[in-house]
Amino acid sequence: MFYWKPMSKKTILVVDDTPVNVEILTGILGGTYNIKYATNGICALKSAQRNPPQLILLDIMMPEMDGYEACRRFRENPDTSEIPIIFITAKTERKDIVKGFEIGGQDYVTKPFNPQKLLARVQTQRDSQDKNQELWKVITTQNELNCIQMAIEMSVKAANMGVQVRFGINSGDCTDGSFG
C-alpha cells in the first residue's frame, strides 16, 4: 500500500557578509527552500554544526574566516563533510575557481549570477544528493540481504553436520549468531 507523505522543504545555509546578497538569494530560493544565513565562516560552522543544512551557498571574501577556510573546516568535520557546497562569489580568476573545487566545493557561481542558472545548479546538487542517499539505502539493503544469505548458508552447513544453530540478526550485524 502506498501512502503519500508531503515532503518538507530542504534547508540551505547562505553564507555571505553582504546583507543585500543574502536578501537576493533568499528571494530567489525562499519559495522552494528554507533559508538560514550566516555572515561569516565562523558563524556558518556553528550554525551547520547545530542544525546541518542540505546545501551551503558560500561566499569567499568575508571577514574573520573566508569561504575557503570555512569549506576546508566543513570537509574536516564528519557531521558536515557530506553537505554540498556551492561557492557564490565575485572572485572570477581561474586560480580561485580551481582552489574552490580543490578544497571541496561541488560548484562555483560567480557574481553577478543568473537566477535561473543558480536555481538549476542548486537543484542539480539536491538531485545528486537524493540519488546518493537512494544508492546508500540500496547498498545497505544489499548488505543486510548478504548477511541473511550467509546465516542461511551457515545454518544449512551446520544442520548437515547435526548442529542446531540459532541466529540473532541485529541491524545487519552478521556476527550475532550463537551455536548450541
Side-chain angles (χ1 to χ4, degrees), residues 139-155:
I139 290 169
T140 302
T141 301
Q142 184 62 47
N143 287 343
E144 290 171 357
L145 291 172
N146 289 343
C147 287
I148 292 168
Q149 180 180 358
M150 185 173 77
I152 291 169
E153 289 171 1
M154 288 174 64
S155 179

Side-chain angles (χ1 to χ4, degrees), residues 111-124:
K111 298 174 187 173
F113 55 86
N114 177 297
Q116 288 77 25
K117 286 182 182 178
L118 177 65
L119 281 168
R121 288 176 171 203
V122 166
Q123 188 59 49
T124 297

Side-chain angles (χ1 to χ4, degrees), residues 20-61:
V20 70
N21 291 340
V22 173
E23 289 175 20
I24 290 169
L25 290 167
T26 300
I28 293 168
L29 300 165
T32 308
Y33 302 95
N34 290 320
I35 304 297
K36 296 188 323 182
Y37 72 92
T39 56
N40 63 55
I42 294 169
C43 293
L45 291 166
K46 289 178 183 176
S47 176
Q49 184 67 36
R50 279 191 312 270
N51 190 9
Q54 284 73 49
L55 180 76
I56 299 170
L57 295 179
L58 184 59
D59 187 21
I60 292 175
M61 298 180 292

Side-chain angles (χ1 to χ4, degrees), residues 36-88:
K36 296 188 323 182
Y37 72 92
T39 56
N40 63 55
I42 294 169
C43 293
L45 291 166
K46 289 178 183 176
S47 176
Q49 184 67 36
R50 279 191 312 270
N51 190 9
Q54 284 73 49
L55 180 76
I56 299 170
L57 295 179
L58 184 59
D59 187 21
I60 292 175
M61 298 180 292
M62 296 181 291
E64 298 182 49
M65 179 188 297
D66 70 15
Y68 293 133
E69 179 62 18
C71 182
R72 188 185 64 73
R73 291 190 188 185
F74 280 125
R75 293 298 173 246
E76 288 177 349
N77 182 335
D79 295 330
T80 59
S81 64
E82 299 297 319
I83 300 171
I85 295 174
I86 299 176
F87 285 105
I88 185 158

